[in-house]
Amino acid sequence: MLMTIAEKRSTLQLSRLERLMDVVFALVIWRLFTFLPDLKTGADNWGSVADLLIQEWDSFFFVLLAVIIVIIYWSQNNSLLGNLKSTNAVHTAISIFQLIFVLIFLYAINAGIHLGSGSDSRLFESITAMLVGVFAWIAWYYAMQKAHLLDPELSQEEAELIAQRNLAEPITAAMTIPFAFAGPYVWELSWFLYPFIKRYFSKANKQQPAEN
């Protein structure tokens, strides 16, 4: 069956959206690495690489955690877009709002580094990370309501399972919010709830067909 001009345009728009999101996520990951300790500024304090790693281990851990969070959202984004055949103006706008919150998340991390890692900066980071996941889920939910955006090989039941499975990311970020007031280390460790939450939703997805 031949595609109409409108369908060709929406498919092309999806391809352009994917490229845009890939570029933004890649730039954010690169920018995160620039938050590592400045070797020139701290050269007088470190006599070796071992000194650098020992004295600044928390900075390395914090940046690594941020990179992992961004990669998780990037992978989620690729998975969701990979199950679409096209996009439209509304879906694209929602996805761009998601990108805006990716950039605000980066800004929140930068603010925490320069203004100090207080409970307010940790709260800012948790909320912005949560909103990245929320807008990813909203974009997918919208696509579900517009069946012509989904891959034709994807059933409505499979689309609903994907939506459920991708709640793990924003829920994890939301669960870190109270830990923002418990100190930096407790807050950072709270992000490692993610594998357990993801596993819970994956198990729920496997059990659901059997229950139906």
Side-chain angles (χ1 to χ4, degrees):
M1 183 176 178
L2 295 177
M3 296 176 63
T4 66
I5 294 177
E7 288 174 334
K8 288 180 179 179
R9 286 177 178 172
S10 61
T11 300
L12 178 61
Q13 185 175 339
L14 175 62
S15 177
R16 294 175 64 186
L17 176 62
E18 289 174 330
R19 286 198 297 271
L20 172 64
M21 299 189 87
D22 283 345
V23 169
V24 171
F25 274 99
L27 289 174
V28 168
I29 291 175
W30 171 82
R31 186 71 176 92
L32 285 171
F33 278 100
T34 67
F35 294 158
L36 290 173
D38 190 330
L39 295 178
K40 293 181 179 179
T41 303
D44 295 337
N45 301 321
W46 309 313
S48 64
V49 173
D51 289 340
L52 167 63
L53 296 177
I54 292 172
Q55 294 179 33
E56 303 292 339
W57 71 269
D58 53 342
S59 298
F60 281 91
F61 181 78
F62 179 70
V63 170
L64 177 61
L65 176 62
V67 169
I68 291 173
I69 293 170
V70 173
I71 289 175
I72 287 172
Y73 276 122
W74 193 358
S75 299
Q76 177 203 49
N77 180 72
N78 287 336
S79 174
L80 293 177
L81 293 183
N83 282 297
L84 300 180
K85 71 171 184 179
S86 60
T87 185
N88 61 18
V90 175
H91 178 267
T92 298
I94 297 171
S95 299
I96 290 176
F97 270 105
Q98 180 194 2
L99 284 183
I100 289 172
F101 281 107
V102 171
L103 296 173
I104 295 176
F105 175 64
L106 178 68
Y107 179 82
I109 293 172
N110 193 24
I113 291 174
H114 289 90
L115 301 179
S117 182
S119 58
D120 55 346
S121 66
R122 294 190 293 271
L123 180 63
F124 188 19
E125 291 166 35
S126 290
I127 291 174
T128 52
M130 178 187 70
L131 289 172
V132 174
V134 166
F135 274 90
W137 188 87
I138 291 173
W140 179 254
Y141 184 80
Y142 174 81
M144 285 172 52
Q145 308 310 307
K146 303 290 183 180
H148 64 278
L149 298 183
L150 296 177
D151 187 321
E153 296 182 359
L154 196 69
S155 68
Q156 188 65 26
E157 291 74 17
E158 290 172 323
E160 291 173 358
L161 290 177
I162 290 172
Q164 180 181 347
R165 187 167 63 245
N166 283 280
L167 283 171
E169 287 78 8
I171 287 176
T172 299
M175 291 183 68
T176 66
I177 289 175
F179 292 102
F181 303 95
Y185 302 125
V186 175
W187 176 77
E188 289 173 3
L189 290 174
S190 69
W191 286 96
F192 290 93
L193 291 169
Y194 173 73
F196 303 100
I197 297 172
K198 192 71 173 180
R199 185 178 179 184
Y200 168 79
F201 280 107
S202 296
K203 280 188 174 182
N205 282 347
K206 291 178 181 179
Q207 293 172 0
Q208 190 165 331
E211 292 174 357
N212 293 339

